[in-house]
Amino acid sequence: MEKEVRIYIRIQKSRKGNWKKICSEKQISLTSLIIHSVENRIQDDERRKVLAFIEKQDNIFIKIETNINQIARIVNGQKFISEKELKDFLGKLSEIEKLKREQNLIFSRIYSLLGK
């Protein structure tokens, strides 16, 4: 493991205060802020947001899939689907399509950030 060294920089007290405020808001260290900014890498707080988003998306898809399975069970049992149930089903499919498009855009941004 490589030995860590200290780097001393000079900045105005007010600028340091601003940086510390940013760190406090993002719940990251000043070291992390500087290193990730200089190396153009994803910040720790952004990484947490990404993980929270992925978890939220997963939960939403599970709920939608459950609803779709319930509709499929009803249709298979009755060999019929009412107009209301069909509209609900198509709404769920539209919701999945919209969320998947949004998710793909976000994942593309994430990969571009991680690739830097």
Side-chain angles (χ1 to χ4, degrees):
M1 188 165 185
E2 193 175 340
K3 183 179 176 182
E4 291 186 4
V5 296
R6 290 181 182 254
I7 298 176
Y8 298 96
I9 59 174
R10 291 179 168 206
I11 60 172
Q12 296 93 4
K13 197 172 194 173
S14 61
R15 181 172 283 171
K16 181 181 178 185
N18 289 339
W19 288 4
K20 286 192 151 260
K21 182 180 176 188
I22 291 169
C23 291
S24 176
E25 290 169 358
K26 292 184 172 212
Q27 297 178 346
I28 59 175
S29 68
L30 185 55
T31 300
S32 176
L33 175 71
I34 293 169
I35 290 172
H36 290 117
S37 295
V38 169
E39 295 179 357
N40 203 19
R41 295 189 345 208
I42 188 169
Q43 299 284 340
D44 291 340
D45 68 312
E46 293 166 337
R47 189 173 286 116
R48 284 191 297 270
K49 288 178 188 174
V50 166
L51 293 174
F53 171 79
I54 291 170
E55 186 176 324
K56 180 182 174 190
Q57 288 290 100
D58 192 40
N59 290 337
I60 290 171
F61 287 126
I62 288 171
K63 288 179 185 177
I64 293 171
E65 290 167 2
T66 301
N67 288 341
I68 289 172
N69 287 335
Q70 289 171 346
I71 291 170
R73 195 172 325 130
I74 291 169
V75 170
N76 286 333
Q78 297 177 353
K79 305 294 183 204
F80 170 79
I81 186 169
S82 71
E83 191 173 328
K84 180 187 179 301
E85 290 169 333
L86 181 60
K87 284 181 182 178
D88 288 345
F89 180 75
L90 293 175
K92 298 295 182 195
L93 289 178
S94 295
E95 191 175 346
I96 285 178
E97 181 183 14
K98 177 184 163 222
L99 290 171
K100 281 291 187 182
R101 268 189 267 122
E102 181 182 337
Q103 181 181 33
N104 289 340
L105 288 172
I106 291 171
F107 285 159
S108 295
R109 289 186 210 134
I110 291 167
Y111 290 134
S112 69
L113 286 171
L114 293 175
K116 291 183 178 182

